[in-house]
Amino acid sequence: MKTVIIKYNAGNIRSVQFALERLGVEGTVTDDHDEIMSADKVIFPGVGEASTAMQYLKERKLDQLITNLQQPVLGICLGMQLLCRHSEENNTDCMGVFDVDVKRFQSPVENLLKIPQIGWNNITGLHSVVFEHVPENAYMYFVHSYYAALGADTVAITNYVINYSAALQKDNFYAVQFHPEKSAEAGARIIENFLNL
Amino acid sequence: MLTKRIIPCLDIKDGRTVKGINFENIRDAGDPIELGALYAAQGADELVFLDITATNERRKTLAELVTRIARHVNIPFTVGGGISSVEDVNILLQSGADKISVNTAAFKDPGLVDILAREFGSQCVVLAIDTRFEGDDWYVYLNGGRVKTDIKAYDWAKEAVNRGAGEILLTSMNNDGTKKGFALDITGKLSQNLNVPVIASGGAGNMEHFVDVFENAQADAALAASIFHYKEIEIPALKTFLYNKGVNVRF
């Protein structure tokens, strides 16, 4: 089995690679079109800013490549947001695989909301094969200021002032807002489930 | 619901943990990776590695250590201690650190915070402040607490957040080592007025102190070193205690 991690100008690729390594899987970091297309599994990670990331992907035509992939794809954090329709982060048009928009957390009037959300939060309403053997209310590690709204593709929900999509799934595209590569055993289980698809 | 975080801190010198005896169940308590992985397995929410090495080989040793930690530890970790440039940060993040903390260098050149936030994102920039209460207020200290400044901790924290710091790690020098509890007043002031998470540090002596800092000072996370290293408090027991007191924690 060949697993690739898409290389672009957004960080945390090393962590994903190490998480795969802990599961005994080698992840090849690449932006080569042929390498990505011929992979069995594609991981699309990312920590960073939406507009510069989208621009980088477009310049290399990676956006078209990604949306046309037929094998299982796992978007993580910014990777998930870029697979959505549009992001409020610098008013960025994204790839539109998932039919939801990405918005910025808003502090309610009555109390101060810390942005970004940093830390462990629980995920509920789990209904995807990637959550097999992951218990309802499992805790995952989140670091983000923008969130994907709820929609038809939502397969896990988290609450931070409002309910939003902790995970999305449509056809061969799977995506999580949290960092499974940093979410202890429960996170490793999700990556393993994805690799076993 | 977002949980309160428990963060063990490991002091590192020449690639080895400085404290950390009293662990008969691991082979080498001086090995930061073994100790870190043990804390992760026990339910620590994050780890902080504070490098106190002073040699010229420091940077290379630390980068290698960070890579080894990232390979083996499956929870987020922050690396701090003497970080003073974009290049330092770049190497550590590339090596696999999730966040870095800056202290003295950021105070001396606040523009560093802006640059780091812009280059790498606020989420990986932790501003560490060592503070001492003197006379009328809490003041910033530099160089590991050896150099006094006349800037108030709150003012510096606020400025750093405006410049892009994503988290504040606040250590009270008055409380550190006393085991009499965290500094609730200054922790609360920062946590309730700044829109970034505040990690309280210094003074943890018993489990009730963690309840106090979460409930009464609204800290987002609490950091401690020796009480964990010397097993005066074990993380699973601490989490159970917090849960029973109504504090939202991860199991």
Side-chain angles (χ1 to χ4, degrees), chain A:
Chain A
M1 186 177 80
K2 181 174 161 188
T3 304
V4 304
I5 302 166
I6 297 179
K7 178 180 158 189
Y8 68 117
N9 62 338
N12 108 315
I13 283 168
R14 207 77 197 273
S15 303
V16 174
Q17 203 173 15
F18 288 150
L20 292 175
E21 196 182 284
R22 288 194 290 272
L23 294 167
V25 172
E26 193 194 339
T28 308
V29 177
T30 183
D31 58 2
D32 182 85
H33 285 218
D34 293 337
E35 279 246 57
I36 296 169
M37 283 193 292
S38 66
D40 300 293
K41 301 281 156 50
V42 176
I43 298 181
F44 180 44
V47 169
E49 192 275 318
S51 68
T52 47
M54 263 323 287
Q55 194 186 339
Y56 183 98
L57 293 169
K58 279 182 178 168
E59 280 165 9
R60 287 156 186 80
K61 294 194 164 49
L62 283 167
D63 57 330
Q64 294 167 25
L65 175 92
I66 292 167
T67 49
N68 287 317
L69 289 172
Q70 301 298 312
Q71 63 272 58
V73 177
L74 176 64
I76 298 174
C77 196
L78 181 65
M80 161 166 156
Q81 297 184 358
L82 296 178
L83 291 169
C84 295
R85 205 163 45 197
H86 177 269
S87 173
E88 275 185 7
E89 189 171 20
N90 292 315
N91 191 22
T92 305
D93 283 326
C94 300
M95 287 183 254
V97 169
F98 301 114
D99 202 18
V100 290
D101 290 337
V102 175
K103 298 168 182 169
R104 188 175 163 84
F105 284 122
Q106 296 295 338
S107 202
V109 184
E110 62 277 13
N111 66 351
L112 184 75
L113 184 72
K114 307 212 170 184
I115 301 168
Q117 172 182 221
I118 298 181
W120 298 80
N121 204 333
N122 54 334
I123 56 173
T124 60
L126 311 183
H127 59 280
S128 165
V129 285
V130 295
F131 295 124
E132 200 178 338
H133 302 299
V134 176
E136 190 74 8
N137 282 312
Y139 283 99
M140 297 293 158
Y141 190 79
F142 291 82
V143 181
H144 61 126
S145 302
Y146 294 81
Y147 65 91
L150 296 177
D153 305 326
T154 302
V155 291
I157 298 167
T158 293
N159 183 279
Y160 191 57
V161 181
I162 52 140
N163 284 340
Y164 65 92
S165 294
L168 296 163
Q169 187 194 323
K170 187 181 187 182
D171 306 325
N172 57 318
F173 288 90
Y174 302 79
V176 291
Q177 178 59 63
F178 50 85
H179 288 277
E181 75 279 13
K182 285 286 163 182
S183 296
E185 286 78 15
R189 166 62 68 176
I190 292 168
I191 297 173
E192 202 173 7
N193 288 340
F194 171 75
L195 296 174
N196 289 338
L197 284 171

Side-chain angles (χ1 to χ4, degrees), chain B residues 6-9 19 22-23 39 178-180 182 203-207 209-210 222-235 238:
Chain B
I6 301 295
I7 308 178
C9 178
K19 298 171 195 163
N22 211 5
F23 276 97
Y39 284 134
T178 65
K179 297 194 177 177
K180 289 182 176 169
F182 295 95
N206 62 43
M207 296 200 265
H209 293 152
F210 287 87
L223 177 144
S226 58
I227 54 156
F228 294 136
H229 302 326
Y230 297 108
K231 289 209 289 194
E232 290 163 32
I233 293 178
E234 296 197 70
I235 292 167
L238 174 59

